[in-house]
Amino acid sequence: MDETLKLALKNNPGHVGMFHSDRGFQYTRPVFQKRLEYLGIQQSMSRVGHCIDNGPMESIQGILKDMLKILYPNIETVAQVRKSVKETIDYYMNEYPQERFHGLTASEVREAAKATDEPVLYPIKENKRIKKYWEGIDKKKASLIASAIKEADLQ
């Protein structure tokens, strides 16, 4: 079984309902997918050709990377990397109140969500860059369709 899945199961007994990943070969193999199904875990994956789907995960990695640089600017050894990454994640989860969570930490939000069938929703603010990106894609599609129609009419 994939090490990431083992760790998720170990750290979250009884609370792992979804496993999100990219489309790496280890996650698309039938044996891995059957294992998730057997465990009652829903698989979540980015869509083919939609790299933007991983935006939320890339975002949290960026936040943690920035925090790591601020909290531990002078890392020199592998042991220091391991320790500082663990402590940075702990800080983010347990000590960093967030405006979008109305002043709660990520762990407080998670614990509250586990304790109810109807957790509080914390909508993510609209990302204007992503909206503009998809508007550009829609314009390109419309242009291609218009060109195809025009070409078909000429024939």
Side-chain angles (χ1 to χ4, degrees):
M1 186 178 358
D2 178 83
E3 292 303 314
T4 305
L5 179 57
K6 283 182 189 176
L7 187 60
L9 293 170
K10 177 183 172 194
N11 291 337
N12 302 280
H15 294 287
V16 180
M18 182 176 292
F19 187 92
H20 181 77
S21 68
D22 60 15
R23 292 190 166 270
F25 78 93
Q26 66 272 39
Y27 305 118
T28 57
R29 291 179 26 237
V31 67
F32 183 80
Q33 293 174 335
K34 290 283 185 199
R35 182 70 173 160
L36 290 178
E37 185 180 332
Y38 172 78
L39 294 168
I41 298 172
Q42 182 179 354
Q43 187 170 28
S44 166
M45 262 189 217
S46 304
R47 297 170 292 170
V48 174
H50 290 82
C51 58
I52 202 77
D53 285 354
N54 270 336
M57 291 309 300
E58 298 291 337
S59 177
I60 189 66
Q61 289 173 349
I63 290 167
L64 292 173
K65 183 178 168 184
D66 289 346
M67 286 180 142
L68 183 69
K69 288 179 181 177
I70 292 166
L71 296 171
Y72 303 94
N74 300 313
I75 298 171
E76 295 180 5
T77 68
V78 172
Q80 288 174 334
V81 169
R82 288 186 176 127
K83 183 177 186 282
S84 61
V85 166
K86 183 178 179 182
E87 290 176 0
T88 300
I89 292 170
D90 181 69
Y91 174 80
Y92 176 84
M93 293 299 295
N94 300 305
E95 298 179 42
Y96 181 62
Q98 297 184 43
E99 181 181 335
R100 68 185 176 130
F101 295 149
H102 310 297
L104 300 174
T105 66
S107 287
E108 290 170 326
V109 170
R110 185 169 189 270
E111 289 305 313
K114 290 185 337 188
T116 182
D117 289 334
E118 294 185 34
V120 174
L121 298 178
Y122 298 94
I124 298 171
K125 290 181 186 177
E126 182 178 62
N127 186 320
K128 292 178 183 176
R129 285 184 6 206
I130 292 173
K131 184 178 179 181
K132 187 175 179 178
Y133 168 83
W134 284 112
E135 286 172 353
I137 295 293
D138 289 340
K139 284 180 184 176
K140 286 179 185 177
K141 286 180 185 177
S143 176
L144 289 171
I145 291 169
S147 293
I149 292 170
K150 185 177 180 179
E151 190 174 307
D153 287 345
L154 295 174
Q155 294 179 2

